[in-house]
């Protein structure tokens, strides 16, 4: 039955929220099926045109529908992977963790690097001299400062106003949210839950 392999690609997306290794085997099988459908349609279309055999028309239409469905499934699979990569860029920053990076094709890595460059160029163009980091506050802050607990011995941290804070393990600080967000993502700080 046509389209079963393409359907496997789509169900693979539903089964996991993370980026799994690119399923080259099934994508190649879907493309081979598409080539055989196209070849069969070309043969039957020529028969319809040359011999006026309209009895072949329903099978041509069925194969054409299967072709477009397979195409949509492959494109949805690729688009979904790119969307997840875009989301990861905003959540994790410009460097992907190794467990995600190993699941990507070389073309996907190149796309991610290109997206990083485009986003960085755009953020540098905002603001006056130093640009504006759009990834700093993913949700609107309730307050400009946040109370955090230092999880590891980090050392000195210089704030924008020149003040130097010593971040030692198990110490609590009230710091600007823009400074804390990247350190929280890196696991150096955590929100104080008390």
């Amino acid at each position: 039955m046509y389209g079963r392999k393409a359907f496997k690609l789509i169900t693979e997306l539903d089964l996991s929220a993370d980026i799994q290794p690119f399923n080259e085997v099934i994508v190649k099988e879907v493309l081979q099926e598409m080539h055989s459908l196209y070849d069969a349609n070309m043969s039957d279309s020529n028969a319809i045109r040359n011999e006026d055999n309209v009895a072949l028309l329903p099978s041509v239409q069925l194969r054409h529908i299967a072709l477009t469905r397979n195409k949509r499934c492959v494109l949805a699979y690729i688009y979904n992977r790119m969307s997840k990569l875009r989301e990861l860029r905003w959540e994790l920053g410009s460097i992907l963790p190794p467990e995600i990076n190993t699941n990507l094709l070389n073309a996907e890595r190149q796309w991610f690097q290109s997206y990083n460059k485009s986003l960085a160029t755009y953020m540098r163009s905002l603001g006056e001299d130093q640009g504006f980091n759009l990834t700093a506050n993913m949700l609107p802050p309730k307050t400009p400062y946040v109370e955090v607990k230092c999880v590891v011995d980090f050392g000195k941290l210089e704030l924008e106003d020149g003040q130097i804070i010593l971040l030692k393990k198990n110490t609590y600080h009230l710091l600007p949210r823009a400074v804390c967000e990247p350190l929280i993502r890196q696991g150096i700080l955590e929100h104080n839950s008390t």
Side-chain angles (χ1 to χ4, degrees):
M1 189 68 184
Y2 302 132
R4 288 183 191 229
K5 300 288 183 181
F7 184 70
K8 275 187 181 180
L9 284 176
I10 300 303
T11 55
E12 181 179 300
L13 294 175
D14 287 338
L15 295 177
S16 176
D18 297 332
I19 295 181
Q20 298 299 315
F22 190 84
N23 200 335
E24 274 186 271
V25 173
I26 292 184
V27 170
K28 283 181 181 179
E29 289 175 358
V30 171
L31 293 177
Q32 287 171 351
E33 180 180 302
M34 290 173 70
H35 283 295
S36 67
L37 288 170
Y38 179 79
D39 292 341
N41 267 3
M42 285 303 293
S43 172
D44 285 354
S45 294
N46 288 336
I48 291 171
R49 187 177 318 124
N50 296 335
E51 301 163 14
D52 208 24
N53 186 358
V54 290
L56 297 173
L57 194 58
S59 61
V60 170
Q61 290 174 332
L62 175 70
R63 285 191 296 262
H64 180 73
I65 290 169
L67 261 169
T68 55
R69 182 173 185 265
N70 282 354
K71 177 180 158 185
R72 282 196 334 257
C73 289
V74 170
L75 290 174
Y77 180 74
I78 293 169
Y79 177 78
N80 189 282
R81 289 177 64 85
M82 290 174 62
S83 294
K84 286 181 182 180
L85 281 174
R86 188 180 311 118
E87 289 173 16
L88 288 172
R89 168 56 180 100
W90 285 84
E91 291 173 15
L92 303 176
S94 61
I95 299 174
L96 291 173
E99 61 269 10
I100 293 174
N101 204 19
T102 57
N103 291 341
L104 302 178
L105 291 175
N106 193 28
E108 290 174 321
R109 285 188 205 97
Q110 289 173 354
W111 181 87
F112 186 75
Q113 290 171 353
S114 175
Y115 184 73
N116 275 335
K117 288 178 186 175
S118 298
L119 185 60
T121 302
Y122 178 70
M123 289 191 296
R124 276 194 303 273
S125 72
L126 299 175
E128 292 176 16
D129 292 335
Q130 62 220 26
F132 186 74
N133 187 359
L134 295 172
T135 62
N137 294 321
M138 296 307 292
L139 297 173
K142 294 178 183 173
T143 63
Y145 291 91
V146 63
E147 188 174 347
V148 291
K149 177 183 176 184
C150 189
V151 181
V152 296
D153 288 330
F154 181 73
K156 294 180 181 179
L157 174 70
E158 185 173 354
L159 301 179
E160 291 177 1
D161 62 359
Q163 181 183 5
I164 296 178
I165 307 274
L166 183 61
L167 295 177
K168 286 181 143 183
K169 187 175 182 177
N170 296 326
T171 58
Y172 295 89
H173 304 277
L174 187 63
L175 298 173
R177 185 175 295 275
V179 173
C180 293
E181 292 286 332
L183 295 173
I184 290 171
R185 285 190 209 130
Q186 294 172 16
I188 297 167
L189 299 175
E190 65 181 22
H191 286 283
N192 186 14
S193 57
T194 58

